[in-house]
């Protein structure tokens, strides 16, 4: 709709509100991205979300069209004030001016107040909101076309340019503030997320943490190394907080699969396993291997310490409860007496009702013959199982069962 340009609201508070969004935009940069990218890369990303492209018009590409139609004796602006007048033969001229810049700027006035506000309507491109056409319309009696058409158009064009130039000065100052405040916010974010640079022990033995891996808010604290016994070395242990950290890496990866199911649904168990494995190796250098033989079979994810398993996980595609049964049975066969913690990761790719999958898993678990305890978690798609060892009923195995939904209709 043709309306007054640069009139709807003020530019200054609009720019101030965008500066207030810096913390929100930076909060969307996850810890892994913060760790994997330089300050300059993150700054460019955040600034791109909040910056404004100043308006510019392309005079050499202006086009116009016209139709002959009755018009009031007075022009369209005066009609708004005095009401309709008697109609006479006239012409309606439509001018289209290509422009570039943020479309919202057409409705914002700079702090340099002007009394003249031209009439027009911006039409942003459907493919790119930062380019489009500015449409101006003139309804003139045929008797006045020669005198008024060019005069009114050139006056409007001059007014538009003055508003654009005044906006550009404010926007330039805004971009300087944006650059300074984003830079300061990134430094503050890194300070908040900084953790101990070295983790002397992870699984009870020296293990180097990858410096490029993200530092989670509840990241592992340095583990106290058990002193050597007089007769033998201490057995490696995977503590509960360490187990939780590894599970969190797998959980976040599974959640990323769920957010883009069309991308990951095409992958099978092995490909999905390899993606998770790559992220584990991104956190713990050299600690995770794929298809590693452990005792009597091959496990999907295996973290060894001195030839002994500290963590084992199986990845399965959901094909009914038998998928989970097979995975748990495999774990019980692979685990040695030193192993105490494991995970089963299940991907639903073929069943539309994910709630039904979770219900079936939950109902089956309570009837598992070797189940000692079943604990719910804060996640609807996860359970903590305590099972008896297949080799030694006196030994208990702690298994985290995680089910992710990769189903999407074709």
């Amino acid at each position: 709709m043709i309306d007054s340009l640069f009139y709807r609201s003020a530019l200054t508070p609009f720019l101030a509100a965008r500066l207030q969004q810096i913390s929100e935009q930076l909060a969307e940069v996850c810890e892994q991205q913060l760790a994997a990218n330089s300050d300059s890369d993150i700054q460019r990303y955040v600034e791109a979300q909040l910056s404004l492209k100043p308006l510019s018009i392309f005079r050499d590409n202006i086009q116009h069209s016209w139709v002959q139609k009755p018009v009031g004796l007075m022009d369209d602006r005066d009609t708004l004030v005095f009401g309709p007048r008697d109609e006479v033969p006239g012409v309606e001229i439509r001018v289209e001016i290509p422009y570039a810049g943020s479309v919202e700027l057409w409705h914002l006035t700079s702090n340099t107040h002007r009394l003249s506000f031209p009439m027009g309507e911006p039409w942003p491109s459907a493919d790119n909101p930062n380019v489009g056409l500015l449409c101006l319309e003139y309804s003139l009696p045929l008797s006045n076309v020669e005198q008024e058409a060019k005069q009114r158009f050139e006056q409007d064009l001059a007014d538009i340019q003055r508003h654009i130039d005044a906006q550009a000065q404010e926007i330039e100052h805004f971009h300087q503030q944006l650059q300074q405040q984003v830079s300061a916010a990134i430094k503050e974010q890194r300070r908040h997320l900084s953790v101990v640079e070295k983790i002397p022990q992870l699984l009870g033995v020296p293990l180097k943490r990858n410096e490029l891996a993200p530092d989670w808010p509840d990241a592992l604290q340095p583990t106290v190394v058990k002193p050597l016994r007089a007769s033998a070395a201490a057995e490696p242990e995977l503590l509960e907080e360490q187990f939780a950290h590894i599970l969190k890496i797998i959980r976040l990866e599974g959640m990323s699969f769920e957010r883009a199911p069309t991308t990951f649904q095409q992958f099978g168990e092995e490909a999905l396993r390899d993606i998770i494995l790559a992220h584990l190796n991104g956190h713990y250098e050299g600690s995770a291997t794929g298809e590693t033989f452990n005792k009597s079979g091959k496990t999907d994810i295996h973290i060894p310490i001195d030839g002994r398993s500290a963590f084992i996980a199986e990845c399965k595609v959901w094909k009914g409860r038998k998928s989970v049964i097979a995975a748990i049975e495999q774990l019980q066969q692979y685990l040695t007496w030193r192993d105490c913690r494991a995970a089963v990761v299940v991907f639903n790719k073929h069943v539309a009702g994910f709630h039904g999958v979770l219900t079936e898993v939950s109902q089956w678990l309570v009837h598992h013959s070797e189940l000692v305890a079943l604990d719910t978690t804060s996640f609807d798609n996860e359970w903590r199982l305590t099972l008896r060892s297949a080799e030694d009923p006196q030994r208990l195995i702690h298994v985290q069962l995680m089910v992710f939904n990769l189903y999407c209709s074709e």
Side-chain angles (χ1 to χ4, degrees):
M1 181 181 70
I2 301 296
D3 197 0
S4 296
L5 299 171
F6 310 105
Y7 187 76
R8 191 171 298 172
S9 56
L11 176 61
T12 302
F14 176 83
L15 297 178
R18 291 182 84 85
L19 291 176
Q20 295 298 318
Q21 297 175 30
I22 292 175
S23 59
E24 297 176 12
Q25 290 293 331
L26 195 55
E28 294 181 4
V29 179
C30 71
E31 296 158 22
Q32 186 174 1
Q33 293 170 322
L34 195 67
N37 294 274
S38 66
D39 284 6
S40 58
D41 289 337
I42 296 173
Q43 176 141 359
R44 279 192 294 270
Y45 170 79
V46 175
E47 287 183 13
Q49 311 307 308
L50 298 176
S51 63
L52 288 169
K53 183 175 177 61
L55 292 172
S56 59
I57 55 177
F58 302 93
R59 297 169 181 257
D60 295 339
N61 301 100
I62 295 175
Q63 297 183 354
H64 77 276
S65 60
W66 61 272
V67 294
Q68 189 171 342
K69 60 184 295 186
V71 298
L73 285 175
M74 302 189 73
D75 63 39
D76 51 340
R77 302 185 209 193
D78 293 331
T79 299
L80 293 174
V81 179
F82 300 107
R85 297 299 182 95
D86 294 336
E87 293 185 338
V88 298
V91 63
E92 184 176 273
I93 303 173
R94 183 180 181 85
V95 180
E96 295 180 348
I97 308 173
Y99 76 85
S102 302
V103 65
E104 55 263 61
L105 292 175
W106 287 113
H107 306 293
L108 301 171
T109 183
S110 68
N111 55 15
T112 304
H113 298 289
R114 300 185 179 278
L115 297 178
S116 177
F117 297 96
M119 305 281 288
E121 180 183 10
W123 284 11
S125 166
D127 299 327
N128 183 353
N130 287 325
V131 297
L133 295 174
L134 176 65
C135 300
L136 310 179
E137 290 184 359
Y138 305 96
S139 296
L140 302 170
L142 286 175
S143 58
N144 293 340
V145 168
E146 292 184 7
Q147 295 91 344
E148 291 193 34
K150 185 175 183 180
Q151 178 183 351
R152 284 183 54 182
F153 170 66
E154 290 183 347
Q155 180 62 47
D156 284 347
L157 207 59
D159 286 341
I160 288 170
Q161 190 61 58
R162 280 193 288 270
H163 279 283
I164 289 175
D165 292 342
Q167 282 185 344
Q169 296 179 10
E170 274 199 76
I171 293 172
E172 182 181 4
H173 179 63
F174 159 75
H175 284 154
Q176 293 173 355
Q177 291 181 297
L178 181 65
Q179 184 179 23
Q180 295 170 359
Q181 294 187 26
V182 170
S183 177
I186 292 173
K187 290 181 173 61
E188 183 69 7
Q189 185 85 337
R190 288 200 185 278
R191 187 182 70 80
H192 287 164
L193 294 176
S194 62
V195 294
V196 179
E197 293 183 357
K198 282 188 177 182
I199 298 180
Q201 298 294 325
L202 175 67
L203 303 176
V205 295
L207 183 65
K208 183 180 178 182
R209 181 76 176 270
N210 189 338
E211 295 177 357
L212 296 179
D215 295 320
W216 310 103
D218 56 348
L220 297 179
Q221 298 300 317
T223 305
V224 177
V225 182
K226 290 185 177 182
L228 294 178
R229 295 196 298 266
S231 57
E235 296 292 346
E237 288 188 60
L238 184 63
L239 303 180
E240 176 60 31
E241 61 267 30
Q242 299 164 349
F243 184 42
H245 183 253
I246 293 173
L247 291 177
K248 183 170 185 178
I249 298 170
I250 298 175
R251 180 181 303 117
L252 291 176
E253 194 61 33
M255 291 170 66
S256 71
F257 294 168
E258 291 181 320
R259 285 192 291 268
T262 54
T263 300
F264 295 99
Q265 190 190 47
Q266 59 183 309
F267 298 140
E269 293 175 1
E270 185 174 344
L272 293 170
R273 182 278 316 273
D274 288 345
I275 296 173
I276 294 175
L277 198 59
H279 279 262
L280 281 173
N281 278 323
H283 284 260
Y284 306 115
E285 295 182 354
S287 62
T289 58
E291 296 287 45
T292 300
F293 282 90
N294 181 46
K295 199 182 177 184
S296 60
K298 292 193 296 182
T299 61
D300 276 347
I301 298 175
H302 169 70
I303 301 180
I305 301 295
D306 294 336
R308 302 163 184 171
S309 297
F311 174 79
I312 286 179
E314 283 293 322
C315 298
K316 296 292 181 184
V317 170
W318 174 258
K319 297 177 182 177
R321 67 181 64 178
K322 62 181 181 181
S323 311
V324 181
I325 295 173
I328 291 178
E329 288 179 348
Q330 282 181 288
L331 284 178
Q332 291 179 310
Q333 293 172 5
Y334 301 157
L335 291 169
T336 69
W337 68 270
R338 298 179 180 87
D339 303 326
C340 60
R341 302 188 187 275
V344 173
V345 185
V346 180
F347 304 104
N348 171 49
K349 296 170 54 180
H350 309 297
V351 180
F354 186 55
H355 179 72
V357 172
L358 298 181
T359 300
E360 184 175 351
V361 172
S362 181
Q363 291 175 348
W364 169 77
L365 285 175
V366 297
H367 299 295
H368 192 282
S369 59
E370 295 176 346
L371 182 68
V372 175
L374 176 63
D375 298 320
T376 57
T377 70
S378 56
F379 301 93
D380 294 338
N381 61 325
E382 294 186 26
W383 297 264
R384 174 66 63 88
L385 290 66
T386 303
L387 303 171
R388 294 186 184 89
S389 168
E391 286 187 345
D392 182 2
Q394 301 301 316
R395 186 170 65 88
L396 301 180
I397 300 170
H398 304 285
V399 179
Q400 189 85 356
L401 174 59
M402 315 169 80
V403 185
F404 298 104
N405 188 27
L406 274 62
Y407 175 83
C408 59
S409 57
E410 298 181 357

